[in-house]
Amino acid sequence: MPKPFKRKESTHSDAFASSQDPIARKLLIKGMVQGVGFRPFVYLLAHKYDLEGAVANTAAGVSVHIEGAPQNIQNFCDSLEKQSPPLAYITDITVSSESIRNYPDFTITKSQDNGSRTTLISPDIALCDDCRAELTDPHDRRYQYPFINCTNCGPRYTIIKDVPYDRPSTCMHKFTMCRLCQAEYDDPRNRRFHAQPNACPTCGPQVSLYDNQRNFIADVNAIEETARLLKQGALIAIKGLGGFHLAADATNNNAVLRLRRRKQRDAKPFAVMAGSVDRIRRFALVNPDEETVLNSCQRPIVLLTKKNNHHIAAAVAPQNRYLGVMLPYTPLHYLLFNYDFEGLVMTSGNPGGMPICISNDGAFKMLSDIADYFLIHNRDICLRCDDSVVKYTHSAVRFFRRARGYAPMPIFLRRDMLPILACGGELKNTVCLTKGDHAFVSQHIGDLKNHETYTGFQQTIRHLQKILDSKPEIVACDLHPDYLSTRYAREQNATVIAVQHHHAHIISCLAENRVEGPVIGLALDGTGYGADGAAWGGEVLLADMIQFQRMAFLAYTGLPGSNAAIKAPWRMAVSYLYATFGNDFQNLNLPLFEQVGEQKIRFIVDMIDKKINTPLTSSLGRLFDGIAAIIGLGNHISFEGQAAMNLEMIAADSMEVSYDYQLQYRETCLILWQPLIRGIIQDMHKGISSAIISAKFHATVINMFCEVCETVRKSSGVNQVALSGGVFQNTIILTGVMRLLQKKGFQVYTHSITPCNDGGLSLGQVLIANAIAL
């Protein structure tokens, strides 16, 4: 695994003696050092340097007692970090003097659970090259075995119940190893030494195929039959590492459309899995950086630009210039791609709005109306974990969803923290738990809008608290009083600190970059509960870890129907038009009016005038929605952010011209968008294309927020800018704002470890809560 975090310096308690007389030392190695082949590495290293002693897993990491010549012990310690296994990640080594115990040799001893749990748990890792070679070798005893793994790959986080990470503490406890597997497991020189998921066809998990009435499909090779059915257009629920996928042949438009109808997912893009990068190049552009991310051991979904001519079904990602693509990461995936698929749709196995299914019983209950068949197995999944989604933009990996392959790797902080649990927000929820100078951001949980997702939220918190042995003293939450995450926080027996949504966004960005502020924060998103009770989302803050000052924001407009306006962008179009033109807006002769109807429009105007269920909003996300509806990109959406995404997708390339806007300076600068609306209407009446209008709108957003940053710099002397919020998932906005601010001499900080959307909120919440509590 690439080392994405800065290593802490090793701490040695004293100098090594210059004498050649034998000495003894005790080492405690912390970090991601369990389940990654670290103890056999230590064992072989001790034998290399002719040392005696023992190594064991503990709740805190790996404990080593070594005896031998001082120079050999010195060499041993120097080699620990420099030559550690590829999946290991050492955060700290402490060395202390010990009495010589006259060990006869060096051994690996039974795990110990006698202290505070500080060891890091490895994420699930894609199949390694060695296992893949065995998978395809007809002479190997694991030939075509769909659960082949070793200490360098396979499930980790999703099968662990407790630490230390030993087989009885995992979902593999019910599988007794055969003689050959046990011999590998016990041999420190074997790469399957203490590989907890170790198994083979004789003793391990098995796959089986069922129809959606739960009838077993007998007398077939389950994987071969699955491939045959997929080629015939069947929809199949496939059990994976962190949950079920719903699979379809990505070249079969009818199958993909049927999946959309059954899953009730009208337009949101599906992910595609392809067997190799060469296959991906048939339908998408892949640059060297993107290829590196695709091939990484995390194997995320990577957003790639579509080619103009390809065989992937149009229904996979309609009205979108990108495809979300990933490579196989389990042996089962590789076996399926032996049957020459161009690509498979592999979307989360859940009905719309529900958490991903992880149990066989749950999948049959929830997915039988969607899937025609079920390819299942009998290895339990302890914790759901969706596929991660990233995009390589402006020289860095940007997360849209951080989950499999990355969680639960922590963010390393500048200093030790109080024990804090942050509960995140409502959308794209994650939670965060602190321990020492580590912040453990959970995998993506989902939108906390139903009982099932809320149950998953609670389960994730319990699981993290158990494996980290952490009892939070402080619980941080969003200011919004009605979020389920806020209600959960209020029910805990701990001090509760409520944190403003956009302040948390900015501080999460600072935490990733290991800076503390003050900073000018651009917090641009769809919605967040403001300090005045309004729905914020177009914010320029002057912020540090404890407090913030609202320096500028998009001028308020009505949000008619509250959440209903988010699902029906035409409502926002009416709100912006009415605020700009008054009652004359209905004389503008826009296609929108004919599509919606005069009665509905009059109803919305009445709501705004009478302030009936029409809270105020400063959201840039809602401005995107309104513009999209005004220029005819759709009056209703089926997923969050759809209208804004459509506006980005149609934008013409490299637009220097922008619309007018106005900055009104009072105590707080108001960013007035009325000139922008007038300019768009004028362009529409001139017959200017929607692509040009979209590009000019994007340029306007970039210019006006960068101008505000210059104004704030003049008054505050602050030259650092942090960019956060879901709007920065828009590549045009992110790259445009970064380039212009850097051109103006600003130091710009962005997200590259957690998502800029609400998935990163919980990290900011713990930092702010800790600063307030201290």
Side-chain angles (χ1 to χ4, degrees), residues 223-459:
I223 295 173
E224 182 179 7
E225 181 66 7
T226 296
R228 188 186 70 81
L229 291 167
L230 285 167
K231 286 180 179 292
Q232 289 183 346
L235 308 180
I236 302 186
I238 300 175
K239 189 176 183 180
L241 277 184
F244 276 79
H245 281 118
L246 287 165
D249 183 347
T251 64
N252 186 330
N253 204 57
N254 289 333
V256 177
L257 287 172
R258 192 163 65 255
L259 178 58
R260 288 202 174 279
R261 287 194 298 271
R262 292 184 184 179
K263 193 173 162 68
Q264 297 180 9
R265 181 166 165 165
D266 294 339
K268 190 174 183 180
F270 287 135
V272 173
M273 181 178 284
S276 67
V277 173
D278 286 341
R279 280 290 177 126
I280 293 172
R281 286 198 170 98
R282 295 186 185 185
F283 54 81
L285 302 176
V286 185
N287 66 37
D289 294 314
E290 291 165 338
E291 183 174 359
T292 297
V293 180
L294 283 165
N295 279 314
S296 68
C297 62
Q298 292 90 358
R299 295 289 165 88
I301 297 169
V302 183
L303 299 183
L304 302 172
T305 303
K306 291 178 184 175
K307 283 188 171 180
N308 290 329
N309 298 309
H310 57 78
H311 296 295
I312 298 299
V316 169
Q319 299 179 327
N320 200 308
R321 66 178 68 171
Y322 301 115
L323 279 172
V325 187
M326 59 181 159
L327 290 171
Y329 57 85
T330 72
L332 177 58
H333 296 153
Y334 279 106
L335 293 174
L336 279 173
F337 277 95
N338 283 340
Y339 296 93
D340 197 34
F341 289 100
E342 182 80 355
L344 290 175
V345 167
M346 295 288 263
T347 190
S348 298
N350 59 311
M354 303 292 280
I356 187 171
C357 295
I358 60 173
S359 71
N360 295 335
D361 287 343
F364 280 114
K365 179 180 178 182
M366 302 297 293
L367 304 179
S368 287
D369 290 337
I370 303 175
D372 301 308
Y373 296 90
F374 289 73
L375 183 64
I376 66 172
H377 58 73
N378 57 341
R379 184 179 69 198
D380 292 337
I381 299 171
C382 291
L383 198 69
R384 58 177 49 87
C385 197
D386 288 89
D387 295 316
S388 294
V389 182
V390 305
K391 189 173 189 294
Y392 194 90
T393 304
H394 208 83
S395 303
V397 174
R398 314 288 177 176
F399 282 87
F400 284 53
R401 183 169 71 201
R402 181 180 181 269
R404 178 189 51 76
Y406 299 93
M409 278 293 288
I411 286 81
F412 296 101
L413 307 174
R414 291 167 58 93
R415 57 179 58 87
D416 284 353
M417 305 281 287
L418 297 169
I420 300 173
L421 167 67
C423 297
E426 180 179 58
L427 300 180
K428 302 176 178 66
N429 179 269
T430 64
V431 299
C432 182
L433 200 62
T434 58
K435 185 148 190 173
D437 62 352
H438 296 166
F440 294 87
V441 179
S442 75
Q443 74 278 18
H444 166 86
I445 295 171
D447 296 347
L448 293 184
K449 292 186 173 183
N450 54 57
H451 171 74
E452 290 79 6
T453 308
Y454 183 61
T455 299
F457 163 86
Q458 293 172 301
Q459 180 190 10

Side-chain angles (χ1 to χ4, degrees), residues 10 12 59 72 77 132 299 372 378 520 635 644 695:
S10 301
H12 298 265
N72 289 359
C77 292
R132 187 179 175 189
R299 295 289 165 88
D372 301 308
N378 57 341
I520 301 168
N635 297 324

